[in-house]
Amino acid sequence: MAITQAITTSYKAEVLQGIHDSADTYKMALYTSVATLGTSTTAYSATNEVVGTGYTIGGTTLSRFNVTTSGTTAILDFNDPFWENATITARGALVYNASKSNKAVAIYDFGSDIASTNGDFTVSINALGLLGLN
């Protein structure tokens, strides 16, 4: 089982088809180290999703859909999502479009298990955005 950071292949095709919109509701769900997520992930699933105090299945809604460019790369960014007073351990995350049948957008790999014990769990999105399309 593995979590591989990537923009999903299905999202790339769906962007070209005009399926996703900036007004849609995007969410981030957290996953354990036994989850299998990567380029072939097509939709949100609760399988191997984190369970714990302060975390709701399905994750949290992302705010500030922001698109910028840098050279020839288009960058999609959101505010850093967080869970308050959480007791959870996560290895990675899935960003998905809840407005469009929970279609997968991107996978975020933390590189190792990250834990919080009755504290805030924050996913710090890189200053260059969560994902970039080259």
Side-chain angles (χ1 to χ4, degrees), residues 1 5 14 20 26 29 32 35 37 47 79-80 82 84-86 88-89 95 104 111 122 125-126 128-129 132-133:
M1 313 249 167
Q5 188 156 315
E14 292 158 3
H20 299 273
Y26 292 85
T32 67
L37 300 168
T47 303
N79 285 336
D80 293 347
F82 65 95
E84 294 180 312
N85 303 316
I88 54 177
T89 299
V95 174
T122 302
I125 296 175
N126 186 300
L128 296 177
L133 294 174

Side-chain angles (χ1 to χ4, degrees), residues 1 9 13 28 33 38 58 63 76 79 93 99 108 112-113 116 121 133:
M1 313 249 167
T9 303
M28 178 181 277
S33 61
S63 61
L76 173 57
N79 285 336
S99 298
Y108 202 60
S112 63
D113 282 350
S116 66
F121 188 102
L133 294 174

Side-chain angles (χ1 to χ4, degrees), residues 6 18-20 30 35 41-42 45 55 81-82 113 123 130:
I19 291 173
H20 299 273
L30 301 177
T41 302
T42 58
S45 168
Y55 183 83
F82 65 95
D113 282 350
V123 177
L130 181 64

Side-chain angles (χ1 to χ4, degrees):
M1 313 249 167
I3 297 175
T4 304
Q5 188 156 315
I7 301 168
T8 64
T9 303
S10 59
Y11 178 73
K12 293 175 189 178
E14 292 158 3
V15 165
L16 294 174
Q17 296 166 349
I19 291 173
H20 299 273
D21 188 85
S22 62
D24 291 344
T25 298
Y26 292 85
K27 298 184 84 172
M28 178 181 277
L30 301 177
Y31 289 85
T32 67
S33 61
V34 298
T36 301
L37 300 168
T39 58
S40 64
T41 302
T42 58
Y44 162 79
S45 168
T47 303
N48 297 314
E49 188 171 359
V50 165
V51 175
T53 304
Y55 183 83
T56 302
I57 294 297
T60 191
T61 300
L62 297 172
S63 61
R64 195 186 61 88
F65 182 102
N66 186 48
V67 176
T68 58
T69 59
S70 176
T72 60
T73 302
I75 301 163
L76 173 57
D77 193 17
F78 299 95
N79 285 336
D80 293 347
F82 65 95
W83 291 262
E84 294 180 312
N85 303 316
T87 300
I88 54 177
T89 299
R91 170 57 195 245
L94 168 69
V95 174
Y96 66 98
N97 188 337
S99 298
K100 300 293 194 287
S101 303
N102 297 330
K103 292 180 179 293
V105 173
I107 311 303
Y108 202 60
D109 179 12
F110 301 154
S112 63
D113 282 350
I114 305 296
S116 66
T117 303
N118 198 27
D120 292 346
F121 188 102
T122 302
V123 177
S124 297
I125 296 175
N126 186 300
L128 296 177
L130 181 64
L131 51 108
L133 294 174
N134 295 347

